[in-house]
Amino acid sequence: MTLLRTVPIRRLSRADLTRCLDLSADRGRPADDRSWQLLLTAGAGHGIDDPDGDGLIGSYVLTRYGPELACMSRLLVAERHARRGLGRRLMAHALEEAGGTPVLGYATDLARPLYEHHGFTAVTRSTTYAGRFRPESGASGPSEESDATRPAAAADLPAVLRLDAEVFGSDRMQLLTRLPAFADRFRVAEDRRGLTGFAAAWRSADDTVIGPVVAGNTTTARRLIADLAGPTEGAVRLDVDDRHTELAAWLADRGVAPVTASTVMVHGAAGLPGDHGRRFAPLMVALG
């Protein structure tokens, strides 16, 4: 126990990818190398090496979005060292690294007491939906309430960055500039005045994730999701804020059902910046 209190917490790099995947597998999580690679480049990974030389025994990633917000994720402790204080030590280290910047995190019901112990407060709940998407019969063209969507082009990136900063409430340029290369499909929505939304789909270890989804209204969010999910083979997955009840009901009708839930929590602020009404799904919960 004394050794675990003193073994150093070090920065991780992409050279640690295999160790991160092994730690995820140890905790029963999918060995998703694409998401870990993105996290280790867009964010700052930290880990604890096993004193016996057997890989990592703990990790977390802190991704900064300017001075307004940071997102903490992948707080993992190897099963063989669970319930020995490593989670609290990693959490305290993450908050110290944040340096007073408000920190966002998605807490499972099991992990929520740890977050609360360190002063996090609940903002909302988020539900993961998964399943084979069933297109709406007879759907053709956008409705009057839906903005038209099309594949994104390189020239759209400045407008995407401006919209994301407005909706998210902080500067995520470092993350969003990686999105066109990271995503398998990337679409935007627009009206006569310009860009009103965007969404992406990317392949994870087990399914296709749809996110982020930003839109001016629920109808446009549904169209973006349908345009991305329709051509997808196999299951799709996305995480939806529980305040978007209309979207949740539509997903369930399309065969994409709720499977798990987590609590969106924040440390150092009364709530999250930006406009949650236009923020329908994150790129991944690990990035907020």
Side-chain angles (χ1 to χ4, degrees), residues 160-170 273-276 278-279:
V160 167
L161 293 173
R162 287 193 297 270
L163 179 60
D164 185 78
E166 179 183 334
V167 171
F168 199 81
S170 56
D275 180 3
H276 85 269
R278 290 183 287 167
R279 190 171 57 233

Side-chain angles (χ1 to χ4, degrees), residues 136 217-227 246-247 250:
E136 295 181 88
N217 54 56
T218 302
T219 307
T220 300
R222 286 166 47 179
R223 180 152 189 87
L224 283 165
I225 293 168
D227 287 346
E246 184 182 345
L247 180 62
W250 176 80

Side-chain angles (χ1 to χ4, degrees), residues 62-72 94-95 97-105 120 168 170 265-273:
L62 189 70
T63 307
R64 296 179 179 275
Y65 303 130
E68 297 86 6
L69 191 67
C71 183
M72 188 193 65
L95 295 176
E97 284 290 305
T101 299
V103 177
L104 159 71
F120 281 78
F168 199 81
S170 56
M265 309 191 76
V266 66
H267 180 280
L272 294 174

Side-chain angles (χ1 to χ4, degrees), residues 144-193:
E144 291 182 1
E145 298 83 10
S146 169
D147 297 329
T149 83
R150 59 170 172 81
D156 293 316
L157 187 57
V160 167
L161 293 173
R162 287 193 297 270
L163 179 60
D164 185 78
E166 179 183 334
V167 171
F168 199 81
S170 56
D171 181 7
R172 301 202 303 165
M173 182 175 66
Q174 183 177 344
L175 173 64
L176 268 293
T177 52
R178 291 178 164 87
L179 184 58
F182 178 77
D184 298 305
R185 295 189 299 282
F186 187 18
R187 296 186 71 87
V188 296
E190 58 187 355
D191 61 15
R192 286 172 293 181
R193 294 168 296 177

Side-chain angles (χ1 to χ4, degrees), residues 39 45 57 68 84 90 115 164 182 259 268 283:
L39 288 168
I57 59 172
E68 297 86 6
R84 300 175 69 181
L90 287 162
Y115 283 74
D164 185 78
F182 178 77
V259 289
L283 173 60

Side-chain angles (χ1 to χ4, degrees), residues 3-12 44-50 56-61 75-77 85-97:
L3 179 60
L4 293 181
R5 292 197 188 105
T6 58
V7 65
I9 299 174
R10 66 172 178 87
R11 277 292 299 269
L12 301 175
H46 295 75
I48 299 176
D49 293 306
D50 190 332
L56 293 174
I57 59 172
S59 72
Y60 77 85
V61 178
L75 181 65
L76 301 172
V77 174
L86 283 182
R88 288 190 179 191
R89 186 176 171 216
L90 287 162
M91 178 76 83
H93 190 274
L95 295 176
E96 183 178 353
E97 284 290 305

